[in-house]
Amino acid sequence: MAIERTLSIIKPDATRRNLTGRINAKFEDAGLRIVAQKRIHLSKAQAGQFYAVHAERPFYDELCTFMASEPVVVQVLEGEGAIAKNREVMGATNPANADDGTIRKEFALSVGENSVHGSDAPETAATEIAFFFSGLELVG
Ligand code: ADP
Ligand code: MG
């Protein structure tokens, strides 16, 4: 399998509870390398732009308000099949359906406040990485 890069976000419910290090340990234990990382506080407009694909969903406004409520940590993870591997480590969107040992099973508070974001395909990974990082900031 090819080496890939994927965009990850540690969401406000997790940064608020000081879980950044414990979540990063899950990524690293799974063989994912953190090749870029920064802590930022999104505006609601920026959150809305990032999640524009969900604009028609009933939870969109709640999601954007939540993502702008506290700082987030945005990061690029690199490794063999990193996009799918990260989705595995994250667990299902709704923590009630997430497998044991996943980030969402262990840390998520609800389907909305579910601790992490991860890209879902190569095209979205490329777009989402470019949304937050310049090429100079990706240090593999
Ligand atoms: P994922 O983050 O697993 O890729 P989606 O892309 O479907 O999930 O949704 C994006 C984000 O929107 C979720 O991670 C979650 O924070 C929020 N979300 C999804 N479904 C709901 C819902 N039913 N109610 C509230 N928030 C939701
Ligand atoms: Mg998604």
Side-chain angles (χ1 to χ4, degrees), residues 17-38:
R17 289 176 290 148
N18 215 21
L19 294 172
T20 299
R22 288 168 72 186
I23 290 173
N24 279 347
K26 294 268 198 198
F27 297 138
E28 294 184 338
D29 288 348
L32 293 164
R33 303 180 68 82
I34 301 165
V35 299
Q37 176 168 257
K38 58 191 172 190

Side-chain angles (χ1 to χ4, degrees), residues 17-136:
R17 289 176 290 148
N18 215 21
L19 294 172
T20 299
R22 288 168 72 186
I23 290 173
N24 279 347
K26 294 268 198 198
F27 297 138
E28 294 184 338
D29 288 348
L32 293 164
R33 303 180 68 82
I34 301 165
V35 299
Q37 176 168 257
K38 58 191 172 190
R39 182 175 164 100
I40 58 175
H41 195 149
L42 291 169
S43 67
K44 190 171 174 186
Q46 289 167 333
Q49 198 184 340
F50 179 75
Y51 276 119
V53 64
H54 294 308
E56 303 308 319
R57 309 277 285 274
F59 55 80
Y60 179 65
D61 189 69
E62 178 193 330
L63 174 62
C64 297
T65 298
F66 165 59
M67 291 299 288
S69 66
E70 304 248 5
V72 295
V73 174
V74 294
Q75 47 194 192
V76 179
L77 308 179
E78 182 183 85
E80 293 245 328
I83 297 165
K85 184 176 285 183
N86 181 40
R87 297 291 309 194
E88 262 178 52
V89 175
M90 289 164 62
T93 307
N94 186 339
N97 303 327
D99 289 340
D100 284 347
T102 62
I103 292 167
R104 283 167 166 171
K105 176 71 169 198
E106 223 161 289
F107 301 122
L109 299 176
S110 66
V111 64
E113 302 204 8
N114 59 4
S115 304
V116 280
H117 166 86
S119 308
D120 59 11
E123 306 70 41
T124 46
T127 310
E128 291 179 358
I129 289 169
F131 186 88
F132 288 112
F133 293 98
S134 76
L136 280 176

